[in-house]
Amino acid sequence: MPTTRLTAQSVARLPPPEVGQTDYFDASFPAFGLRVTAKGVRTFILLTRINGKKARLTIGRAQTRKDGPGVSLADARRQAGEWQDQVACGRDPREEQRAAKAAAEQAQQPDPDTWDQVVERFIRQYAKPRNRSWREAERVLGKDVTPRWRGRPIREISKREVVDLVDALVEAGKPALANRVLQHIKRVMSWCVEKDILEDSPARTVKAPAKLEARDRVLTDDEIRLFWSAADRMGFPWSVPLKVLLLTGQRRSEVAEMEWSELSDLDGETPTWTIPARRAKNGVEHGVPLSPHAADLLRSVPRIQGCRYVFSTTGNSPVSGISKAKARLDGFITEMKGDPLEPWTLHDLRRTFASGAAALGVRVEVVERCLGHTSGTFRGIVSVYQRHEFGPEKRAALTAWANHINLLVQNTEADDTVVMLAEAR
C-alpha cells in the first residue's frame, strides 16, 4: 500500500496497475487514500476500525479534472475527517450512508398516498362495501375536489386549503354543494386517520360553510305542464325517465339505473317495478305499483339486446349525465315560458308527488309507503309490528296521481282528480 502526497494532479495521474487494484494513501492523512483499478477507475476511501474490526469506507468516485464529475480531493478529505470523528464517537458511518441512500430512493418513489390514490382506495375499500350512495361520493369528489388536489400527498393538504375549497364553492353560488363536498372530504380524511395515513384530519374542525334551510319547493300545476312539455322535447334517452320521476316519486338514481329484471307484468293488470334492497337507499326492497300511464311509457322504451338497463345509450351501463339533461330541460322550459322557473331540482319532483298525492286525499302513511320511507309514521315500535305493505292503496294513489298529471297536461280542470282517486280504489 504505497503512500504519497495526494494532490489534485496526482489523483488524476497516479498510474493504474496492470491487473487488480492499488490503494495509494495520503502522506498527511494515512487512513485516507485513493483506490485505482486496472481499468483506471479512481475512488476515494477511508480505512478505519469499527467495533474493533477493520473497515474500508467508500467515499466516492474521484474528480479527475476541474469542474468534472466526481468528488473533489478537498471534499473527500473533509468527508473522511467527519467519518473518523463519528467512529471516535461510537457511530458507524455506513449506517448513516445506508439511511441516506434509502431516503434518497424513497424521495424518488411516487408517494402512494396522494389525494387521488387515497380517494380511489377509500371508495373501493370503505365506501363501496358499506354505503349504497358510494357513487355519489365518487362523483362529487371526482368532479369538485380531485382536479384541484390530484397528485398532492394527502399529508401536505392543510386546513386552510380545505376552507379555501369550500369557500370557493359558496362564492360560486353553490352552498349546498359546498356542504356536501366538506362532508365527503371529512369522511375521506377520517378514514385516513383510522388507516394511520394521517395523524389528524385537517378537515376535522372545519365547520359547514352554509346554513341551509330544509327545502319545501313543490312544482305548481302550471310548472308541471311546462316540465312535461319540456320532457317531450328532450327525446331519447331522457324523455321517459324524466316523466317516470314525476309519475312515481322515486329517486333519480333509482330511476336512471332501472333494470328490465325489476319490471313485472308490464302488459298485465298489475304492472310493478321492484327496486331491490341493494339499490334502495334504505336497504329495503321497495315495490312501486306502476300506473297504466307509467307502464305505457316504459313499454315504449327501445330495448337494447343484451342490456339489462332500461335507460341506456351504451348497451352496458345506465344512462348518465343527468345534471346536463336537467340543464337542457331548464333551457326548454325557459324557451316556452319566456323566463326560467324559480330554482328547482329533480328531487323536488319527489316532494311534488308527495304534496300532490296528499292533496288528492291519499293518507300520509300511503304516501310514505309510495316513497319507500321507513321513517316518519313507520319509525319506532310501528316499524316492528306494522307489516302491511299497502299494495292496493299504493296502486290506487299512484294511478290517481298519474290521472291528475294526465288531466293537467291536457289542460283539463284538475278538480275531478279526487274522483279519480275514488275510482282507482
Side-chain angles (χ1 to χ4, degrees), residues 259-276:
E259 299 183 17
W260 289 109
S261 61
E262 298 169 2
L263 300 174
S264 61
D265 201 27
L266 270 187
D267 296 313
E269 296 294 321
T270 57
T272 304
W273 169 28
T274 303
I275 303 173

PDB file of all heavy atoms in Angstrom, residues 259-276:
ATOM      1  N   GLU A 259     -83.558  -1.559 -14.033  1.00  0.00           N
ATOM      2  CA  GLU A 259     -83.218  -2.729 -14.837  1.00  0.00           C
ATOM      3  C   GLU A 259     -84.493  -3.439 -15.286  1.00  0.00           C
ATOM      4  O   GLU A 259     -85.512  -3.423 -14.590  1.00  0.00           O
ATOM      5  CB  GLU A 259     -82.327  -3.676 -14.039  1.00  0.00           C
ATOM      6  CG  GLU A 259     -80.996  -3.049 -13.617  1.00  0.00           C
ATOM      7  CD  GLU A 259     -80.083  -4.021 -12.888  1.00  0.00           C
ATOM      8  OE1 GLU A 259     -80.336  -5.248 -12.989  1.00  0.00           O
ATOM      9  OE2 GLU A 259     -79.131  -3.568 -12.243  1.00  0.00           O
ATOM     10  N   TRP A 260     -84.405  -4.067 -16.473  1.00  0.00           N
ATOM     11  CA  TRP A 260     -85.578  -4.764 -17.008  1.00  0.00           C
ATOM     12  C   TRP A 260     -86.041  -5.867 -16.058  1.00  0.00           C
ATOM     13  O   TRP A 260     -87.247  -6.142 -15.954  1.00  0.00           O
ATOM     14  CB  TRP A 260     -85.252  -5.359 -18.372  1.00  0.00           C
ATOM     15  CG  TRP A 260     -85.106  -4.343 -19.463  1.00  0.00           C
ATOM     16  CD1 TRP A 260     -83.964  -3.971 -20.083  1.00  0.00           C
ATOM     17  CD2 TRP A 260     -86.161  -3.565 -20.055  1.00  0.00           C
ATOM     18  NE1 TRP A 260     -84.231  -3.001 -21.038  1.00  0.00           N
ATOM     19  CE2 TRP A 260     -85.573  -2.733 -21.040  1.00  0.00           C
ATOM     20  CE3 TRP A 260     -87.534  -3.486 -19.846  1.00  0.00           C
ATOM     21  CZ2 TRP A 260     -86.306  -1.844 -21.799  1.00  0.00           C
ATOM     22  CZ3 TRP A 260     -88.283  -2.600 -20.614  1.00  0.00           C
ATOM     23  CH2 TRP A 260     -87.676  -1.791 -21.575  1.00  0.00           C
ATOM     24  N   SER A 261     -85.100  -6.502 -15.355  1.00  0.00           N
ATOM     25  CA  SER A 261     -85.461  -7.591 -14.445  1.00  0.00           C
ATOM     26  C   SER A 261     -86.289  -7.107 -13.260  1.00  0.00           C
ATOM     27  O   SER A 261     -86.921  -7.917 -12.569  1.00  0.00           O
ATOM     28  CB  SER A 261     -84.188  -8.284 -13.929  1.00  0.00           C
ATOM     29  OG  SER A 261     -83.379  -7.368 -13.203  1.00  0.00           O
ATOM     30  N   GLU A 262     -86.303  -5.799 -13.019  1.00  0.00           N
ATOM     31  CA  GLU A 262     -87.060  -5.242 -11.901  1.00  0.00           C
ATOM     32  C   GLU A 262     -88.521  -4.986 -12.269  1.00  0.00           C
ATOM     33  O   GLU A 262     -89.328  -4.685 -11.397  1.00  0.00           O
ATOM     34  CB  GLU A 262     -86.409  -3.934 -11.436  1.00  0.00           C
ATOM     35  CG  GLU A 262     -84.985  -4.119 -10.923  1.00  0.00           C
ATOM     36  CD  GLU A 262     -84.239  -2.802 -10.710  1.00  0.00           C
ATOM     37  OE1 GLU A 262     -84.845  -1.736 -10.932  1.00  0.00           O
ATOM     38  OE2 GLU A 262     -83.056  -2.840 -10.347  1.00  0.00           O
ATOM     39  N   LEU A 263     -88.830  -5.089 -13.553  1.00  0.00           N
ATOM     40  CA  LEU A 263     -90.188  -4.798 -14.026  1.00  0.00           C
ATOM     41  C   LEU A 263     -90.952  -6.096 -14.231  1.00  0.00           C
ATOM     42  O   LEU A 263     -90.426  -7.066 -14.783  1.00  0.00           O
ATOM     43  CB  LEU A 263     -90.134  -4.016 -15.339  1.00  0.00           C
ATOM     44  CG  LEU A 263     -89.409  -2.660 -15.275  1.00  0.00           C
ATOM     45  CD1 LEU A 263     -89.300  -2.045 -16.667  1.00  0.00           C
ATOM     46  CD2 LEU A 263     -90.134  -1.712 -14.328  1.00  0.00           C
ATOM     47  N   SER A 264     -92.203  -6.106 -13.801  1.00  0.00           N
ATOM     48  CA  SER A 264     -93.026  -7.307 -13.965  1.00  0.00           C
ATOM     49  C   SER A 264     -94.436  -6.915 -14.406  1.00  0.00           C
ATOM     50  O   SER A 264     -94.928  -5.837 -14.076  1.00  0.00           O
ATOM     51  CB  SER A 264     -93.082  -8.104 -12.652  1.00  0.00           C
ATOM     52  OG  SER A 264     -93.652  -7.329 -11.617  1.00  0.00           O
ATOM     53  N   ASP A 265     -95.049  -7.795 -15.172  1.00  0.00           N
ATOM     54  CA  ASP A 265     -96.448  -7.652 -15.605  1.00  0.00           C
ATOM     55  C   ASP A 265     -96.703  -6.316 -16.310  1.00  0.00           C
ATOM     56  O   ASP A 265     -97.776  -5.711 -16.137  1.00  0.00           O
ATOM     57  CB  ASP A 265     -97.383  -7.797 -14.395  1.00  0.00           C
ATOM     58  CG  ASP A 265     -98.815  -8.185 -14.810  1.00  0.00           C
ATOM     59  OD1 ASP A 265     -98.956  -8.810 -15.882  1.00  0.00           O
ATOM     60  OD2 ASP A 265     -99.754  -7.842 -14.077  1.00  0.00           O
ATOM     61  N   LEU A 266     -95.731  -5.866 -17.126  1.00  0.00           N
ATOM     62  CA  LEU A 266     -95.905  -4.587 -17.829  1.00  0.00           C
ATOM     63  C   LEU A 266     -97.117  -4.605 -18.750  1.00  0.00           C
ATOM     64  O   LEU A 266     -97.737  -3.565 -18.984  1.00  0.00           O
ATOM     65  CB  LEU A 266     -94.650  -4.254 -18.647  1.00  0.00           C
ATOM     66  CG  LEU A 266     -93.545  -3.441 -17.968  1.00  0.00           C
ATOM     67  CD1 LEU A 266     -92.480  -3.060 -18.976  1.00  0.00           C
ATOM     68  CD2 LEU A 266     -94.102  -2.201 -17.278  1.00  0.00           C
ATOM     69  N   ASP A 267     -97.434  -5.770 -19.282  1.00  0.00           N
ATOM     70  CA  ASP A 267     -98.574  -5.869 -20.208  1.00  0.00           C
ATOM     71  C   ASP A 267     -99.839  -6.361 -19.518  1.00  0.00           C
ATOM     72  O   ASP A 267    -100.865  -6.562 -20.167  1.00  0.00           O
ATOM     73  CB  ASP A 267     -98.230  -6.834 -21.357  1.00  0.00           C
ATOM     74  CG  ASP A 267     -97.084  -6.320 -22.200  1.00  0.00           C
ATOM     75  OD1 ASP A 267     -97.106  -5.131 -22.563  1.00  0.00           O
ATOM     76  OD2 ASP A 267     -96.153  -7.098 -22.483  1.00  0.00           O
ATOM     77  N   GLY A 268     -99.760  -6.552 -18.192  1.00  0.00           N
ATOM     78  CA  GLY A 268    -100.898  -7.119 -17.480  1.00  0.00           C
ATOM     79  C   GLY A 268    -101.687  -6.093 -16.680  1.00  0.00           C
ATOM     80  O   GLY A 268    -101.611  -4.887 -16.904  1.00  0.00           O
ATOM     81  N   GLU A 269    -102.415  -6.608 -15.701  1.00  0.00           N
ATOM     82  CA  GLU A 269    -103.282  -5.774 -14.885  1.00  0.00           C
ATOM     83  C   GLU A 269    -102.559  -5.102 -13.727  1.00  0.00           C
ATOM     84  O   GLU A 269    -103.010  -4.071 -13.219  1.00  0.00           O
ATOM     85  CB  GLU A 269    -104.436  -6.635 -14.315  1.00  0.00           C
ATOM     86  CG  GLU A 269    -105.381  -7.205 -15.362  1.00  0.00           C
ATOM     87  CD  GLU A 269    -106.152  -6.105 -16.063  1.00  0.00           C
ATOM     88  OE1 GLU A 269    -106.557  -5.129 -15.389  1.00  0.00           O
ATOM     89  OE2 GLU A 269    -106.358  -6.225 -17.287  1.00  0.00           O
ATOM     90  N   THR A 270    -101.421  -5.691 -13.313  1.00  0.00           N
ATOM     91  CA  THR A 270    -100.716  -5.136 -12.142  1.00  0.00           C
ATOM     92  C   THR A 270     -99.234  -4.897 -12.446  1.00  0.00           C
ATOM     93  O   THR A 270     -98.348  -5.521 -11.837  1.00  0.00           O
ATOM     94  CB  THR A 270    -100.839  -6.089 -10.939  1.00  0.00           C
ATOM     95  OG1 THR A 270    -100.322  -7.376 -11.317  1.00  0.00           O
ATOM     96  CG2 THR A 270    -102.281  -6.211 -10.484  1.00  0.00           C
ATOM     97  N   PRO A 271     -98.935  -4.014 -13.390  1.00  0.00           N
ATOM     98  CA  PRO A 271     -97.517  -3.729 -13.680  1.00  0.00           C
ATOM     99  C   PRO A 271     -96.820  -3.181 -12.433  1.00  0.00           C
ATOM    100  O   PRO A 271     -97.369  -2.338 -11.724  1.00  0.00           O
ATOM    101  CB  PRO A 271     -97.586  -2.683 -14.796  1.00  0.00           C
ATOM    102  CG  PRO A 271     -98.942  -2.054 -14.652  1.00  0.00           C
ATOM    103  CD  PRO A 271     -99.852  -3.134 -14.156  1.00  0.00           C
ATOM    104  N   THR A 272     -95.624  -3.685 -12.160  1.00  0.00           N
ATOM    105  CA  THR A 272     -94.919  -3.331 -10.921  1.00  0.00           C
ATOM    106  C   THR A 272     -93.423  -3.187 -11.179  1.00  0.00           C
ATOM    107  O   THR A 272     -92.839  -3.926 -11.967  1.00  0.00           O
ATOM    108  CB  THR A 272     -95.144  -4.411  -9.847  1.00  0.00           C
ATOM    109  OG1 THR A 272     -96.558  -4.579  -9.638  1.00  0.00           O
ATOM    110  CG2 THR A 272     -94.479  -4.029  -8.525  1.00  0.00           C
ATOM    111  N   TRP A 273     -92.860  -2.228 -10.508  1.00  0.00           N
ATOM    112  CA  TRP A 273     -91.395  -2.045 -10.519  1.00  0.00           C
ATOM    113  C   TRP A 273     -90.903  -2.342  -9.106  1.00  0.00           C
ATOM    114  O   TRP A 273     -91.305  -1.676  -8.155  1.00  0.00           O
ATOM    115  CB  TRP A 273     -91.076  -0.613 -10.931  1.00  0.00           C
ATOM    116  CG  TRP A 273     -89.641  -0.190 -10.752  1.00  0.00           C
ATOM    117  CD1 TRP A 273     -88.531  -0.970 -10.776  1.00  0.00           C
ATOM    118  CD2 TRP A 273     -89.182   1.155 -10.509  1.00  0.00           C
ATOM    119  NE1 TRP A 273     -87.406  -0.217 -10.576  1.00  0.00           N
ATOM    120  CE2 TRP A 273     -87.771   1.089 -10.411  1.00  0.00           C
ATOM    121  CE3 TRP A 273     -89.812   2.392 -10.374  1.00  0.00           C
ATOM    122  CZ2 TRP A 273     -86.995   2.227 -10.185  1.00  0.00           C
ATOM    123  CZ3 TRP A 273     -89.039   3.517 -10.155  1.00  0.00           C
ATOM    124  CH2 TRP A 273     -87.639   3.438 -10.065  1.00  0.00           C
ATOM    125  N   THR A 274     -90.031  -3.339  -8.968  1.00  0.00           N
ATOM    126  CA  THR A 274     -89.498  -3.715  -7.662  1.00  0.00           C
ATOM    127  C   THR A 274     -88.043  -3.278  -7.566  1.00  0.00           C
ATOM    128  O   THR A 274     -87.179  -3.812  -8.271  1.00  0.00           O
ATOM    129  CB  THR A 274     -89.605  -5.237  -7.443  1.00  0.00           C
ATOM    130  OG1 THR A 274     -90.970  -5.636  -7.576  1.00  0.00           O
ATOM    131  CG2 THR A 274     -89.101  -5.603  -6.053  1.00  0.00           C
ATOM    132  N   ILE A 275     -87.771  -2.297  -6.711  1.00  0.00           N
ATOM    133  CA  ILE A 275     -86.409  -1.803  -6.506  1.00  0.00           C
ATOM    134  C   ILE A 275     -85.743  -2.712  -5.483  1.00  0.00           C
ATOM    135  O   ILE A 275     -86.192  -2.790  -4.338  1.00  0.00           O
ATOM    136  CB  ILE A 275     -86.407  -0.347  -6.005  1.00  0.00           C
ATOM    137  CG1 ILE A 275     -87.167   0.546  -6.992  1.00  0.00           C
ATOM    138  CG2 ILE A 275     -84.987   0.154  -5.811  1.00  0.00           C
ATOM    139  CD1 ILE A 275     -87.369   1.972  -6.502  1.00  0.00           C
ATOM    140  N   PRO A 276     -84.690  -3.435  -5.863  1.00  0.00           N
ATOM    141  CA  PRO A 276     -84.071  -4.379  -4.925  1.00  0.00           C
ATOM    142  C   PRO A 276     -83.377  -3.654  -3.771  1.00  0.00           C
ATOM    143  O   PRO A 276     -83.021  -2.471  -3.878  1.00  0.00           O
ATOM    144  CB  PRO A 276     -83.056  -5.136  -5.798  1.00  0.00           C
ATOM    145  CG  PRO A 276     -82.741  -4.194  -6.922  1.00  0.00           C
ATOM    146  CD  PRO A 276     -84.001  -3.412  -7.170  1.00  0.00           C
TER     147      PRO A 276
END
